Amino acid sequence: MTEPFTQADDARKELIAADHAEGRLDVWLAAELEGEFSRNRVKALIEQGAVEVNGAAITEPKRKIRPGDTVTIVLPEPEDPEPQGEDIPLEVLYEDDDLIVISKPAGLVVHPGAGNWTGTLVNALIHHCGDSLSGIGGVRRPGIVHRLDKETSGVMVVAKNDLAHRHLAGQFADHGRTGPLERAYQAVVWGRPRNLHGTIDAPLGRAHDRTRRAVKRHEGGDAREAITHYEVMERYGENPDATCLASLVECRLETGRTHQIRVHMAHIGHPLIGDPEYGGSYRTKANRLPEPARTIVNTLHRQALHAYLLAFEHPATGEVMHFEAPIPEDMETILEALRSL
């Protein structure tokens, strides 16, 4: 069965292998496309002659990638039906002719994909905005400039026209290094980082499955730079030796990799409370909490992560826009319980 997917307006994508690139072509290319296509789909495209390396068609998926290789992939026409508008409530923080800013609730998938062809933010946006969304993101991702995980809540901006989309996409690609873009998250983590503020510089790549990510060596075939700046804002259940049961941490991204905050905090030994992917081994820590905090923490069935702040330059006016979304009720309930320790 052919796996459905969508492409953007341009039917070709060109990628250049970094100095540390290595391994099989299909593995490397699937990682570079960051989940846009599965490895099996990439392998099939290679076998169909849709991939060129340095101008020559390659039909062998296990061909080794080399630093400096120029890889071009020709994308077939989309095979899945266009998503339809659905009357899903949206919390709109701001809207004009160029963009819309919303506060995404936990549990809402951003765009249609395998297992989630309906009930997504895109379906809600199509219903709310009609035909005004940018087409540059492709059929399944109209207007989508950046994403949040399904179970991560918080502020998102969506483009309504191609000019706004390109302008915003450029800001997100820059990650605020030279422009006004700001993204800040609130995370409730187990324990307390040794340093109350710091930077986690650890490349990320695919784990042993299609969805999870893991810290990789810089020279790893699919390792991509990932940098997170963090600061401990509150500590709960603190002990005389300065350890504590949990902390509220603010995280700011210098890069935007999939699951970046979740993997990075777990990497330094402080996974997010409720994280089923990267914090499962810490679930028993809840047993050390007194009631009612223990029961409250055990009722959280998602990672305690909220994108509370987003700032960017308006693509038409040049004004720096600043938006904040209050921490959602489920996380606030946990914080109140932890503050009572």
PDB file of all heavy atoms in Angstrom, residues 5 13 16 19 24-25 35 101 105 118 135 142 177 208 232 245 255 271 306:
ATOM      1  N   PHE A   5       1.361  11.074   1.205  1.00  0.00           N
ATOM      2  CA  PHE A   5       2.155  12.198   1.667  1.00  0.00           C
ATOM      3  C   PHE A   5       1.832  13.398   0.789  1.00  0.00           C
ATOM      4  O   PHE A   5       1.140  13.305  -0.211  1.00  0.00           O
ATOM      5  CB  PHE A   5       3.652  11.894   1.629  1.00  0.00           C
ATOM      6  CG  PHE A   5       4.179  11.718   0.226  1.00  0.00           C
ATOM      7  CD1 PHE A   5       4.759  12.771  -0.431  1.00  0.00           C
ATOM      8  CD2 PHE A   5       4.060  10.503  -0.412  1.00  0.00           C
ATOM      9  CE1 PHE A   5       5.230  12.617  -1.713  1.00  0.00           C
ATOM     10  CE2 PHE A   5       4.520  10.345  -1.704  1.00  0.00           C
ATOM     11  CZ  PHE A   5       5.114  11.394  -2.359  1.00  0.00           C
ATOM     12  N   LYS A  13      13.543  18.757  -4.176  1.00  0.00           N
ATOM     13  CA  LYS A  13      14.268  19.223  -2.999  1.00  0.00           C
ATOM     14  C   LYS A  13      15.735  18.875  -3.177  1.00  0.00           C
ATOM     15  O   LYS A  13      16.067  17.783  -3.622  1.00  0.00           O
ATOM     16  CB  LYS A  13      13.732  18.559  -1.723  1.00  0.00           C
ATOM     17  CG  LYS A  13      12.403  19.123  -1.245  1.00  0.00           C
ATOM     18  CD  LYS A  13      12.080  18.631   0.151  1.00  0.00           C
ATOM     19  CE  LYS A  13      10.796  19.264   0.656  1.00  0.00           C
ATOM     20  NZ  LYS A  13      10.496  18.880   2.047  1.00  0.00           N
ATOM     21  N   ILE A  16      22.484  19.133   0.690  1.00  0.00           N
ATOM     22  CA  ILE A  16      23.927  18.936   0.599  1.00  0.00           C
ATOM     23  C   ILE A  16      24.404  18.271   1.883  1.00  0.00           C
ATOM     24  O   ILE A  16      24.130  18.759   2.986  1.00  0.00           O
ATOM     25  CB  ILE A  16      24.659  20.265   0.377  1.00  0.00           C
ATOM     26  CG1 ILE A  16      24.198  20.900  -0.945  1.00  0.00           C
ATOM     27  CG2 ILE A  16      26.172  20.054   0.361  1.00  0.00           C
ATOM     28  CD1 ILE A  16      24.800  22.243  -1.227  1.00  0.00           C
ATOM     29  N   ASP A  19      29.729  17.845   6.527  1.00  0.00           N
ATOM     30  CA  ASP A  19      31.075  17.272   6.608  1.00  0.00           C
ATOM     31  C   ASP A  19      31.102  15.947   7.362  1.00  0.00           C
ATOM     32  O   ASP A  19      31.978  15.114   7.134  1.00  0.00           O
ATOM     33  CB  ASP A  19      32.026  18.258   7.299  1.00  0.00           C
ATOM     34  CG  ASP A  19      32.278  19.496   6.451  1.00  0.00           C
ATOM     35  OD1 ASP A  19      32.026  19.421   5.238  1.00  0.00           O
ATOM     36  OD2 ASP A  19      32.714  20.521   7.013  1.00  0.00           O
ATOM     37  N   ARG A  24      24.035   4.889   5.083  1.00  0.00           N
ATOM     38  CA  ARG A  24      23.215   4.601   3.906  1.00  0.00           C
ATOM     39  C   ARG A  24      22.483   5.849   3.425  1.00  0.00           C
ATOM     40  O   ARG A  24      22.057   6.687   4.215  1.00  0.00           O
ATOM     41  CB  ARG A  24      22.195   3.516   4.235  1.00  0.00           C
ATOM     42  CG  ARG A  24      22.773   2.129   4.455  1.00  0.00           C
ATOM     43  CD  ARG A  24      21.704   1.196   4.983  1.00  0.00           C
ATOM     44  NE  ARG A  24      20.524   1.147   4.113  1.00  0.00           N
ATOM     45  CZ  ARG A  24      20.079   0.070   3.493  1.00  0.00           C
ATOM     46  NH1 ARG A  24      20.712  -1.076   3.636  1.00  0.00           N
ATOM     47  NH2 ARG A  24      18.990   0.116   2.747  1.00  0.00           N
ATOM     48  N   LEU A  25      22.304   5.932   2.109  1.00  0.00           N
ATOM     49  CA  LEU A  25      21.603   7.058   1.511  1.00  0.00           C
ATOM     50  C   LEU A  25      20.165   7.164   2.017  1.00  0.00           C
ATOM     51  O   LEU A  25      19.697   8.251   2.365  1.00  0.00           O
ATOM     52  CB  LEU A  25      21.608   6.923  -0.018  1.00  0.00           C
ATOM     53  CG  LEU A  25      20.779   7.957  -0.799  1.00  0.00           C
ATOM     54  CD1 LEU A  25      21.313   9.353  -0.576  1.00  0.00           C
ATOM     55  CD2 LEU A  25      20.787   7.608  -2.289  1.00  0.00           C
ATOM     56  N   GLY A  35      11.178  13.427   9.102  1.00  0.00           N
ATOM     57  CA  GLY A  35       9.866  12.823   9.289  1.00  0.00           C
ATOM     58  C   GLY A  35       8.858  13.120   8.202  1.00  0.00           C
ATOM     59  O   GLY A  35       7.726  12.639   8.253  1.00  0.00           O
ATOM     60  N   VAL A 101      -2.592  33.984  15.268  1.00  0.00           N
ATOM     61  CA  VAL A 101      -1.861  33.453  16.410  1.00  0.00           C
ATOM     62  C   VAL A 101      -2.863  32.752  17.311  1.00  0.00           C
ATOM     63  O   VAL A 101      -3.892  33.327  17.676  1.00  0.00           O
ATOM     64  CB  VAL A 101      -1.135  34.565  17.196  1.00  0.00           C
ATOM     65  CG1 VAL A 101      -0.369  33.976  18.372  1.00  0.00           C
ATOM     66  CG2 VAL A 101      -0.190  35.341  16.275  1.00  0.00           C
ATOM     67  N   PRO A 105      -4.173  23.773  22.400  1.00  0.00           N
ATOM     68  CA  PRO A 105      -4.317  22.929  23.591  1.00  0.00           C
ATOM     69  C   PRO A 105      -3.535  21.641  23.446  1.00  0.00           C
ATOM     70  O   PRO A 105      -3.240  21.186  22.327  1.00  0.00           O
ATOM     71  CB  PRO A 105      -5.823  22.651  23.631  1.00  0.00           C
ATOM     72  CG  PRO A 105      -6.235  22.679  22.192  1.00  0.00           C
ATOM     73  CD  PRO A 105      -5.375  23.730  21.540  1.00  0.00           C
ATOM     74  N   THR A 118      -7.879  13.497  10.390  1.00  0.00           N
ATOM     75  CA  THR A 118      -8.898  14.503  10.707  1.00  0.00           C
ATOM     76  C   THR A 118      -8.690  14.983  12.142  1.00  0.00           C
ATOM     77  O   THR A 118      -7.869  14.450  12.879  1.00  0.00           O
ATOM     78  CB  THR A 118     -10.311  13.914  10.572  1.00  0.00           C
ATOM     79  OG1 THR A 118     -10.457  12.819  11.509  1.00  0.00           O
ATOM     80  CG2 THR A 118     -10.577  13.407   9.163  1.00  0.00           C
ATOM     81  N   GLY A 135      -0.474  28.707   0.788  1.00  0.00           N
ATOM     82  CA  GLY A 135      -0.360  27.414   0.124  1.00  0.00           C
ATOM     83  C   GLY A 135       1.051  26.886   0.085  1.00  0.00           C
ATOM     84  O   GLY A 135       1.287  25.767  -0.347  1.00  0.00           O
ATOM     85  N   PRO A 142      -1.124  23.749   5.149  1.00  0.00           N
ATOM     86  CA  PRO A 142      -1.320  25.139   4.706  1.00  0.00           C
ATOM     87  C   PRO A 142      -1.091  26.125   5.847  1.00  0.00           C
ATOM     88  O   PRO A 142      -1.691  26.027   6.905  1.00  0.00           O
ATOM     89  CB  PRO A 142      -2.783  25.149   4.243  1.00  0.00           C
ATOM     90  CG  PRO A 142      -3.439  24.043   5.002  1.00  0.00           C
ATOM     91  CD  PRO A 142      -2.374  22.982   5.123  1.00  0.00           C
ATOM     92  N   ARG A 177      18.703  34.312  16.226  1.00  0.00           N
ATOM     93  CA  ARG A 177      20.123  34.661  16.363  1.00  0.00           C
ATOM     94  C   ARG A 177      20.378  36.090  15.904  1.00  0.00           C
ATOM     95  O   ARG A 177      21.204  36.798  16.485  1.00  0.00           O
ATOM     96  CB  ARG A 177      20.984  33.688  15.544  1.00  0.00           C
ATOM     97  CG  ARG A 177      20.986  32.251  16.076  1.00  0.00           C
ATOM     98  CD  ARG A 177      21.979  31.397  15.293  1.00  0.00           C
ATOM     99  NE  ARG A 177      22.078  30.048  15.832  1.00  0.00           N
ATOM    100  CZ  ARG A 177      21.496  28.987  15.317  1.00  0.00           C
ATOM    101  NH1 ARG A 177      20.714  29.128  14.242  1.00  0.00           N
ATOM    102  NH2 ARG A 177      21.646  27.790  15.850  1.00  0.00           N
ATOM    103  N   HIS A 208      15.874   4.325  17.754  1.00  0.00           N
ATOM    104  CA  HIS A 208      15.737   3.060  17.025  1.00  0.00           C
ATOM    105  C   HIS A 208      14.353   2.875  16.412  1.00  0.00           C
ATOM    106  O   HIS A 208      14.014   1.786  15.971  1.00  0.00           O
ATOM    107  CB  HIS A 208      16.054   1.888  17.958  1.00  0.00           C
ATOM    108  CG  HIS A 208      17.457   1.920  18.492  1.00  0.00           C
ATOM    109  ND1 HIS A 208      18.553   1.828  17.673  1.00  0.00           N
ATOM    110  CD2 HIS A 208      17.932   2.057  19.758  1.00  0.00           C
ATOM    111  CE1 HIS A 208      19.660   1.891  18.406  1.00  0.00           C
ATOM    112  NE2 HIS A 208      19.308   2.031  19.669  1.00  0.00           N
ATOM    113  N   VAL A 232      16.206  27.431  35.925  1.00  0.00           N
ATOM    114  CA  VAL A 232      15.292  26.925  36.945  1.00  0.00           C
ATOM    115  C   VAL A 232      14.549  28.102  37.573  1.00  0.00           C
ATOM    116  O   VAL A 232      15.163  29.020  38.119  1.00  0.00           O
ATOM    117  CB  VAL A 232      16.056  26.130  38.024  1.00  0.00           C
ATOM    118  CG1 VAL A 232      15.098  25.670  39.120  1.00  0.00           C
ATOM    119  CG2 VAL A 232      16.765  24.927  37.395  1.00  0.00           C
ATOM    120  N   LEU A 245      12.559  17.471  44.700  1.00  0.00           N
ATOM    121  CA  LEU A 245      11.740  16.480  44.021  1.00  0.00           C
ATOM    122  C   LEU A 245      11.432  16.885  42.581  1.00  0.00           C
ATOM    123  O   LEU A 245      11.390  16.049  41.681  1.00  0.00           O
ATOM    124  CB  LEU A 245      10.443  16.244  44.796  1.00  0.00           C
ATOM    125  CG  LEU A 245      10.591  15.534  46.137  1.00  0.00           C
ATOM    126  CD1 LEU A 245       9.248  15.489  46.862  1.00  0.00           C
ATOM    127  CD2 LEU A 245      11.125  14.119  45.929  1.00  0.00           C
ATOM    128  N   THR A 255      17.895  26.080  18.548  1.00  0.00           N
ATOM    129  CA  THR A 255      17.579  25.264  17.372  1.00  0.00           C
ATOM    130  C   THR A 255      16.193  24.679  17.600  1.00  0.00           C
ATOM    131  O   THR A 255      15.669  24.748  18.704  1.00  0.00           O
ATOM    132  CB  THR A 255      18.602  24.124  17.197  1.00  0.00           C
ATOM    133  OG1 THR A 255      18.632  23.348  18.400  1.00  0.00           O
ATOM    134  CG2 THR A 255      19.994  24.660  16.909  1.00  0.00           C
ATOM    135  N   PRO A 271      14.042  14.424  33.279  1.00  0.00           N
ATOM    136  CA  PRO A 271      12.971  14.354  32.273  1.00  0.00           C
ATOM    137  C   PRO A 271      11.719  15.073  32.734  1.00  0.00           C
ATOM    138  O   PRO A 271      11.525  15.320  33.929  1.00  0.00           O
ATOM    139  CB  PRO A 271      12.719  12.849  32.138  1.00  0.00           C
ATOM    140  CG  PRO A 271      13.145  12.286  33.451  1.00  0.00           C
ATOM    141  CD  PRO A 271      14.320  13.119  33.880  1.00  0.00           C
ATOM    142  N   HIS A 306       4.846  23.492  28.048  1.00  0.00           N
ATOM    143  CA  HIS A 306       3.949  24.529  27.548  1.00  0.00           C
ATOM    144  C   HIS A 306       4.769  25.627  26.883  1.00  0.00           C
ATOM    145  O   HIS A 306       5.685  26.186  27.490  1.00  0.00           O
ATOM    146  CB  HIS A 306       3.135  25.109  28.710  1.00  0.00           C
ATOM    147  CG  HIS A 306       2.243  26.241  28.341  1.00  0.00           C
ATOM    148  ND1 HIS A 306       1.188  26.108  27.457  1.00  0.00           N
ATOM    149  CD2 HIS A 306       2.233  27.547  28.735  1.00  0.00           C
ATOM    150  CE1 HIS A 306       0.564  27.269  27.332  1.00  0.00           C
ATOM    151  NE2 HIS A 306       1.175  28.157  28.096  1.00  0.00           N
TER     152      HIS A 306
END
